[in-house]
Amino acid sequence: MARYAALLGSINVGGNRLKMADLVAAMEKRGFANVETVVASGNVLFDHDRAPDAELQEAIAGLVTADFGIDTFAAVRTPDELESALTESPFAGKGEDKLVHVHFLADQPSQAQFAALIADHEGRGPEKLAPGRRALHIDYVSGVGNSKLTGPFIERRLGCKGTARNVRSLKRIIEKLS
């Protein structure tokens, strides 16, 4: 069995409260092994014999919806994919770890979709953006709380769902996977 991380969107924000112990139990009930969470915001580590494909992402998101009534997205990544996302970020190590994010995406948007996102965001805020492999790299510069660069704004332009983690959280997840 291989080790994976599932990064769930919309967990313990905006009223979507979910106890991590309940999430662990639900995943174990469905055959996921060695399940543990990192921080109480939908970061789940687990062992599984399936590849981290769209079907596995949908299965995890589906169990959260079925068991807890939370509509979510699950970005399932291998430890190497998480490391690569951090390495490819042009902002990691330059901006503040809490302000630099990797927005993990369900699919790989086209260059035209990335260009449309950047063009549509022009003049809306100080954020810096860069495309990645099934990811969007963001330096929120002035903070996430007041940014107009929201998940729905990104999703509409890129045509796929995603969920973001800041560099600090990403490093913790990678460390736990090691």
Side-chain angles (χ1 to χ4, degrees):
M1 283 194 186
R3 191 87 172 135
Y4 301 109
L7 311 174
L8 303 174
S10 304
I11 300 297
N12 292 336
V13 295
N16 290 331
R17 299 288 172 217
L18 175 57
K19 292 180 182 174
M20 294 297 100
D22 294 342
L23 178 58
V24 168
M27 289 186 69
E28 287 174 340
K29 181 177 150 186
R30 287 182 176 78
F32 294 89
N34 198 19
V35 181
E36 63 180 308
T37 61
V38 181
V39 190
S41 58
N43 304 310
V44 187
L45 312 181
F46 63 94
D47 295 341
H48 205 273
D49 56 1
R50 281 182 41 197
D53 58 10
E55 192 174 303
L56 183 58
Q57 291 181 157
E58 290 171 15
I60 294 169
L63 82 84
V64 173
T65 301
D67 288 14
F68 307 106
I70 298 172
D71 184 26
T72 189
F73 163 73
V76 178
R77 300 294 193 268
T78 66
D80 287 345
E81 288 173 320
L82 293 176
E83 287 273 2
S84 292
L86 193 56
T87 301
E88 82 175 1
S89 172
F91 312 120
K94 295 181 178 125
E96 287 185 59
D97 282 359
K98 68 180 182 179
L99 299 179
V100 174
H101 287 66
V102 177
H103 194 88
F104 293 92
L105 303 170
D107 300 304
Q108 179 65 44
S110 68
Q111 286 301 103
Q113 287 170 308
F114 277 124
L117 170 65
I118 291 167
D120 288 353
H121 182 63
E122 185 72 31
R124 290 176 51 96
E127 297 83 8
K128 299 174 192 172
L129 308 172
R133 285 183 299 256
R134 286 194 312 155
L136 173 66
H137 300 284
I138 307 167
D139 184 345
Y140 278 96
V141 184
S142 300
V144 178
N146 296 321
S147 176
K148 293 180 182 175
L149 186 63
T150 63
F153 182 87
I154 294 168
E155 185 177 326
R156 280 192 300 275
R157 272 78 183 170
L158 297 183
C160 62
K161 291 186 178 211
T163 185
R165 297 297 182 274
N166 68 29
V167 168
R168 184 171 47 197
S169 294
L170 200 49
K171 286 178 180 177
R172 288 177 68 185
I173 294 165
I174 293 168
E175 182 180 307
K176 287 280 270 184
L177 280 167
S178 302

